[in-house]
Amino acid sequence: MAWRMPHEGDPHERTWMAFPNEGPTLGDDPAEQERFYAAWSAVANAVAEFEPVTMLVDPVQAARARTMLDGAIDLVETPVDEFWFRDHGPTFVVDDERPGALGAVDWIFNGWGAPEWASWTKAAAHARFTAGLVGAEVVSSLLVNEGGGIHVDGEGTVLVTETVQLDPRRNRFADKERVEAELARTIGATKVIWLPRGLTRDYDEFGTNGHVDIVATIPTPGRVLLHAQQNPEHPDFEVSHTLRAFLQEQTDAAGRAFEIVDLPAPETLRDHEGFVDYSYVNHLVVNGGVIACGFGEERADAQAREILEAAYPGRRAVTVDARQIFAGGGGIHCITQQQPALTSAEATR
């Protein structure tokens, strides 16, 4: 059995999400909560224009979800506490030696390092629950990990961050060798690239301690889209330069040096909490499209769409305002998870 995580640009069966429920990351202010629900729904409705969407919904939110979501979106009622589905849902994998075999990696999820504010016991059951819904084989793992902590090229390369998988709050006794062995077993990684860190805001109380999916992604094998903060007043200006220099020294699983494409940050530097981590890297690739984060900046949002459409030829980029999602600790990629279509060599990269 040789599991492999497909590239995000390979054909999808559908996208999975979870509808927000009351809790720490939803906030206490009713107006803010409504903006949260609206932003989540806007993402789901945008994805539904390109491919099927299934949404896990806590029964207490079912009526709200039916009102706010496109009627084509499938709703499945189940208990929900945390709702950042990329992180607590399954990571889908395939077995090239068994056409039609679908696996679902069930990482251990502890709320991004078991912070005091997090509530995750219901969310931790979603990977197996989802696997059961689609008939996927559960691939159990003892690694504390989240889907936002990995990005793959589908050919053996995976990007991770030293401050996530080696976080002692997640994996107290882990070292790189143990993590790499588990990533090889579960997602077919043959080359693990360890970014030294993530973006500054991501180390705040409600951050993930450096998820890679807000920093860098691989649109096609051999190429990296890298978050580029261009204002020296922002601490991520130095972070961007450090990560670019690091990636210039790396090679992928096939031995290729990376072509690095900058994806400039918007001009906004701060919100009421401090320096923002607004990043266009945190997009979702869908069948025929890209769902891009928007930050209320017409020029910057348009530039990001142009870069994304060039990086994913043949796809149309659509912007969804993601500022309220980022205020909660993540972006569009963080709240979605793709299920690969069980086809062989029909990748549309």
Side-chain angles (χ1 to χ4, degrees):
M1 196 177 301
W3 296 114
R4 175 181 65 85
M5 182 179 175
H7 184 266
E8 191 169 308
D10 286 359
H12 297 178
E13 178 69 25
R14 66 181 54 247
T15 287
W16 290 83
M17 299 176 65
F19 198 72
N21 200 9
E22 292 186 11
T25 57
L26 187 63
D28 298 322
D29 177 72
E32 183 179 18
Q33 291 180 357
E34 287 304 316
R35 291 194 295 271
F36 223 119
Y37 287 119
W40 228 265
S41 300
V43 171
N45 293 337
V47 175
E49 294 292 324
F50 294 90
E51 65 187 55
V53 176
T54 297
M55 181 83 69
L56 302 189
V57 183
D58 192 277
V60 300
Q61 299 295 343
R64 185 197 303 265
R66 291 189 185 97
T67 299
M68 302 186 74
L69 296 174
D70 187 297
I73 295 174
D74 294 326
L75 303 184
V76 178
E77 293 189 23
T78 191
V80 172
D81 42 23
E82 277 303 341
F83 36 82
W84 302 79
F85 199 82
R86 173 74 52 176
D87 290 348
H88 67 265
T91 295
F92 288 106
V93 290
V94 298
D95 185 344
D96 296 325
E97 298 176 358
R98 295 184 298 150
L102 179 67
V105 182
D106 180 19
W107 312 108
I108 292 179
F109 178 67
N110 71 348
W112 308 279
E116 292 184 1
W117 55 262
S119 177
W120 69 84
T121 56
K122 297 175 183 176
H126 287 171
R128 288 177 181 266
F129 176 76
T130 305
L133 292 176
V134 299
E137 299 179 38
V138 175
V139 183
S140 296
S141 177
L142 292 177
L143 184 70
V144 180
N145 187 40
E146 303 93 33
I150 55 177
H151 252 317
V152 302
D153 67 355
E155 298 181 358
T157 309
V158 60
L159 304 177
V160 300
T161 318
E162 291 185 2
T163 56
V164 173
Q165 285 80 11
L166 300 181
D167 181 356
R169 300 171 304 166
R170 287 175 166 99
N171 299 296
R172 183 178 178 185
F173 302 107
D175 55 27
K176 289 184 177 179
E177 184 177 2
R178 289 189 177 100
V179 172
E180 290 179 3
E182 183 64 352
L183 292 175
R185 184 185 72 85
T186 53
I187 64 171
T190 57
K191 177 65 178 289
V192 181
I193 298 175
W194 292 89
L195 275 67
R197 59 159 299 150
L199 300 185
T200 301
R201 178 72 167 263
D202 208 15
Y203 293 89
D204 285 358
E205 181 182 9
F206 290 100
T208 69
N209 216 46
H211 269 188
V212 72
D213 73 346
I214 202 169
V215 179
T217 188
I218 306 174
T220 54
R223 178 181 293 172
V224 170
L225 283 174
L226 178 65
H227 176 75
Q229 174 53 250
Q230 299 178 317
N231 191 324
E233 297 179 12
H234 195 298
D236 286 336
F237 178 80
E238 293 298 332
V239 173
S240 295
H241 282 271
T242 297
L243 294 177
R244 172 174 263 278
F246 170 80
L247 286 166
Q248 285 175 334
E249 300 298 320
Q250 305 303 308
T251 56
D252 66 10
R256 294 171 290 221
F258 286 110
E259 174 193 354
I260 302 173
V261 178
D262 287 336
L263 195 48
E267 294 183 5
T268 303
L269 297 182
R270 294 176 175 268
D271 63 8
H272 66 283
E273 295 287 343
F275 286 108
V276 298
D277 55 356
Y278 290 173
S279 171
Y280 295 108
V281 170
N282 200 265
H283 55 272
L284 175 71
V285 184
V286 292
N287 295 336
V290 180
I291 311 302
C293 296
F295 302 104
E297 298 184 21
E298 185 175 347
R299 184 197 61 81
D301 289 353
Q303 180 185 34
R305 287 194 299 272
E306 292 177 5
I307 294 172
L308 292 170
E309 288 181 345
Y312 302 99
R315 300 180 195 264
R316 176 169 60 91
V318 174
T319 297
V320 178
D321 193 323
R323 285 173 289 183
Q324 190 59 53
I325 302 173
F326 271 78
I332 288 174
H333 194 260
C334 305
I335 70 176
T336 54
Q337 178 63 271
Q338 69 278 357
Q339 178 186 338
L342 296 179
T343 54
S344 53
E346 298 177 5
T348 55
R349 296 177 183 168

PDB file of all heavy atoms in Angstrom, residues 47-61:
ATOM      1  N   VAL A  47     -17.017  28.468  -4.314  1.00  0.00           N
ATOM      2  CA  VAL A  47     -16.497  27.157  -4.698  1.00  0.00           C
ATOM      3  C   VAL A  47     -17.560  26.367  -5.453  1.00  0.00           C
ATOM      4  O   VAL A  47     -17.272  25.666  -6.434  1.00  0.00           O
ATOM      5  CB  VAL A  47     -16.016  26.377  -3.464  1.00  0.00           C
ATOM      6  CG1 VAL A  47     -15.576  24.958  -3.858  1.00  0.00           C
ATOM      7  CG2 VAL A  47     -14.870  27.099  -2.772  1.00  0.00           C
ATOM      8  N   ALA A  48     -18.818  26.488  -5.014  1.00  0.00           N
ATOM      9  CA  ALA A  48     -19.913  25.721  -5.611  1.00  0.00           C
ATOM     10  C   ALA A  48     -20.149  26.090  -7.068  1.00  0.00           C
ATOM     11  O   ALA A  48     -20.801  25.327  -7.797  1.00  0.00           O
ATOM     12  CB  ALA A  48     -21.192  25.917  -4.802  1.00  0.00           C
ATOM     13  N   GLU A  49     -19.632  27.221  -7.515  1.00  0.00           N
ATOM     14  CA  GLU A  49     -19.732  27.592  -8.923  1.00  0.00           C
ATOM     15  C   GLU A  49     -18.826  26.725  -9.790  1.00  0.00           C
ATOM     16  O   GLU A  49     -18.990  26.653 -11.008  1.00  0.00           O
ATOM     17  CB  GLU A  49     -19.369  29.068  -9.107  1.00  0.00           C
ATOM     18  CG  GLU A  49     -20.346  30.043  -8.464  1.00  0.00           C
ATOM     19  CD  GLU A  49     -21.697  30.045  -9.162  1.00  0.00           C
ATOM     20  OE1 GLU A  49     -21.717  29.907 -10.401  1.00  0.00           O
ATOM     21  OE2 GLU A  49     -22.724  30.158  -8.470  1.00  0.00           O
ATOM     22  N   PHE A  50     -17.852  26.064  -9.154  1.00  0.00           N
ATOM     23  CA  PHE A  50     -16.861  25.286  -9.898  1.00  0.00           C
ATOM     24  C   PHE A  50     -16.952  23.785  -9.647  1.00  0.00           C
ATOM     25  O   PHE A  50     -16.624  22.989 -10.522  1.00  0.00           O
ATOM     26  CB  PHE A  50     -15.447  25.752  -9.522  1.00  0.00           C
ATOM     27  CG  PHE A  50     -15.124  27.153  -9.950  1.00  0.00           C
ATOM     28  CD1 PHE A  50     -15.387  28.231  -9.125  1.00  0.00           C
ATOM     29  CD2 PHE A  50     -14.552  27.398 -11.193  1.00  0.00           C
ATOM     30  CE1 PHE A  50     -15.079  29.528  -9.518  1.00  0.00           C
ATOM     31  CE2 PHE A  50     -14.241  28.688 -11.598  1.00  0.00           C
ATOM     32  CZ  PHE A  50     -14.513  29.758 -10.758  1.00  0.00           C
ATOM     33  N   GLU A  51     -17.339  23.393  -8.443  1.00  0.00           N
ATOM     34  CA  GLU A  51     -17.372  21.971  -8.109  1.00  0.00           C
ATOM     35  C   GLU A  51     -18.304  21.748  -6.927  1.00  0.00           C
ATOM     36  O   GLU A  51     -18.657  22.700  -6.212  1.00  0.00           O
ATOM     37  CB  GLU A  51     -15.958  21.462  -7.786  1.00  0.00           C
ATOM     38  CG  GLU A  51     -15.329  22.077  -6.542  1.00  0.00           C
ATOM     39  CD  GLU A  51     -13.881  21.654  -6.380  1.00  0.00           C
ATOM     40  OE1 GLU A  51     -13.094  21.853  -7.327  1.00  0.00           O
ATOM     41  OE2 GLU A  51     -13.543  21.124  -5.303  1.00  0.00           O
ATOM     42  N   PRO A  52     -18.701  20.482  -6.685  1.00  0.00           N
ATOM     43  CA  PRO A  52     -19.584  20.206  -5.544  1.00  0.00           C
ATOM     44  C   PRO A  52     -18.937  20.574  -4.212  1.00  0.00           C
ATOM     45  O   PRO A  52     -17.715  20.500  -4.048  1.00  0.00           O
ATOM     46  CB  PRO A  52     -19.820  18.692  -5.646  1.00  0.00           C
ATOM     47  CG  PRO A  52     -19.547  18.356  -7.079  1.00  0.00           C
ATOM     48  CD  PRO A  52     -18.454  19.280  -7.504  1.00  0.00           C
ATOM     49  N   VAL A  53     -19.760  20.951  -3.261  1.00  0.00           N
ATOM     50  CA  VAL A  53     -19.318  21.302  -1.912  1.00  0.00           C
ATOM     51  C   VAL A  53     -20.179  20.542  -0.911  1.00  0.00           C
ATOM     52  O   VAL A  53     -21.408  20.481  -1.056  1.00  0.00           O
ATOM     53  CB  VAL A  53     -19.452  22.817  -1.640  1.00  0.00           C
ATOM     54  CG1 VAL A  53     -19.073  23.153  -0.191  1.00  0.00           C
ATOM     55  CG2 VAL A  53     -18.594  23.620  -2.613  1.00  0.00           C
ATOM     56  N   THR A  54     -19.519  19.951   0.088  1.00  0.00           N
ATOM     57  CA  THR A  54     -20.239  19.356   1.208  1.00  0.00           C
ATOM     58  C   THR A  54     -19.805  20.077   2.477  1.00  0.00           C
ATOM     59  O   THR A  54     -18.622  20.262   2.726  1.00  0.00           O
ATOM     60  CB  THR A  54     -19.952  17.847   1.338  1.00  0.00           C
ATOM     61  OG1 THR A  54     -20.416  17.181   0.161  1.00  0.00           O
ATOM     62  CG2 THR A  54     -20.667  17.264   2.544  1.00  0.00           C
ATOM     63  N   MET A  55     -20.785  20.475   3.285  1.00  0.00           N
ATOM     64  CA  MET A  55     -20.552  21.248   4.494  1.00  0.00           C
ATOM     65  C   MET A  55     -21.032  20.471   5.707  1.00  0.00           C
ATOM     66  O   MET A  55     -22.201  20.075   5.777  1.00  0.00           O
ATOM     67  CB  MET A  55     -21.307  22.578   4.397  1.00  0.00           C
ATOM     68  CG  MET A  55     -21.138  23.512   5.574  1.00  0.00           C
ATOM     69  SD  MET A  55     -19.634  24.519   5.499  1.00  0.00           S
ATOM     70  CE  MET A  55     -20.017  25.632   4.123  1.00  0.00           C
ATOM     71  N   LEU A  56     -20.117  20.225   6.673  1.00  0.00           N
ATOM     72  CA  LEU A  56     -20.536  19.672   7.960  1.00  0.00           C
ATOM     73  C   LEU A  56     -21.140  20.807   8.782  1.00  0.00           C
ATOM     74  O   LEU A  56     -20.570  21.899   8.869  1.00  0.00           O
ATOM     75  CB  LEU A  56     -19.352  19.059   8.708  1.00  0.00           C
ATOM     76  CG  LEU A  56     -18.571  17.940   7.997  1.00  0.00           C
ATOM     77  CD1 LEU A  56     -17.580  17.305   8.963  1.00  0.00           C
ATOM     78  CD2 LEU A  56     -19.492  16.894   7.401  1.00  0.00           C
ATOM     79  N   VAL A  57     -22.288  20.556   9.380  1.00  0.00           N
ATOM     80  CA  VAL A  57     -23.019  21.600  10.103  1.00  0.00           C
ATOM     81  C   VAL A  57     -23.498  21.057  11.436  1.00  0.00           C
ATOM     82  O   VAL A  57     -24.121  19.988  11.493  1.00  0.00           O
ATOM     83  CB  VAL A  57     -24.237  22.086   9.279  1.00  0.00           C
ATOM     84  CG1 VAL A  57     -24.949  23.223  10.011  1.00  0.00           C
ATOM     85  CG2 VAL A  57     -23.825  22.529   7.893  1.00  0.00           C
ATOM     86  N   ASP A  58     -23.205  21.794  12.501  1.00  0.00           N
ATOM     87  CA  ASP A  58     -23.773  21.422  13.787  1.00  0.00           C
ATOM     88  C   ASP A  58     -25.290  21.627  13.730  1.00  0.00           C
ATOM     89  O   ASP A  58     -25.765  22.601  13.135  1.00  0.00           O
ATOM     90  CB  ASP A  58     -23.176  22.293  14.896  1.00  0.00           C
ATOM     91  CG  ASP A  58     -23.507  21.761  16.276  1.00  0.00           C
ATOM     92  OD1 ASP A  58     -24.617  22.067  16.780  1.00  0.00           O
ATOM     93  OD2 ASP A  58     -22.674  21.044  16.851  1.00  0.00           O
ATOM     94  N   PRO A  59     -26.063  20.721  14.314  1.00  0.00           N
ATOM     95  CA  PRO A  59     -27.522  20.849  14.230  1.00  0.00           C
ATOM     96  C   PRO A  59     -28.055  22.218  14.659  1.00  0.00           C
ATOM     97  O   PRO A  59     -29.048  22.693  14.108  1.00  0.00           O
ATOM     98  CB  PRO A  59     -28.027  19.731  15.146  1.00  0.00           C
ATOM     99  CG  PRO A  59     -26.954  18.683  15.063  1.00  0.00           C
ATOM    100  CD  PRO A  59     -25.668  19.451  14.967  1.00  0.00           C
ATOM    101  N   VAL A  60     -27.385  22.876  15.609  1.00  0.00           N
ATOM    102  CA  VAL A  60     -27.897  24.163  16.078  1.00  0.00           C
ATOM    103  C   VAL A  60     -27.706  25.261  15.026  1.00  0.00           C
ATOM    104  O   VAL A  60     -28.329  26.331  15.122  1.00  0.00           O
ATOM    105  CB  VAL A  60     -27.223  24.590  17.404  1.00  0.00           C
ATOM    106  CG1 VAL A  60     -27.472  23.555  18.487  1.00  0.00           C
ATOM    107  CG2 VAL A  60     -25.736  24.853  17.228  1.00  0.00           C
ATOM    108  N   GLN A  61     -26.849  25.017  14.034  1.00  0.00           N
ATOM    109  CA  GLN A  61     -26.602  26.006  12.984  1.00  0.00           C
ATOM    110  C   GLN A  61     -27.226  25.607  11.654  1.00  0.00           C
ATOM    111  O   GLN A  61     -27.035  26.301  10.648  1.00  0.00           O
ATOM    112  CB  GLN A  61     -25.088  26.198  12.793  1.00  0.00           C
ATOM    113  CG  GLN A  61     -24.358  26.708  14.009  1.00  0.00           C
ATOM    114  CD  GLN A  61     -24.782  28.113  14.417  1.00  0.00           C
ATOM    115  OE1 GLN A  61     -25.393  28.838  13.634  1.00  0.00           O
ATOM    116  NE2 GLN A  61     -24.456  28.500  15.644  1.00  0.00           N
TER     117      GLN A  61
END
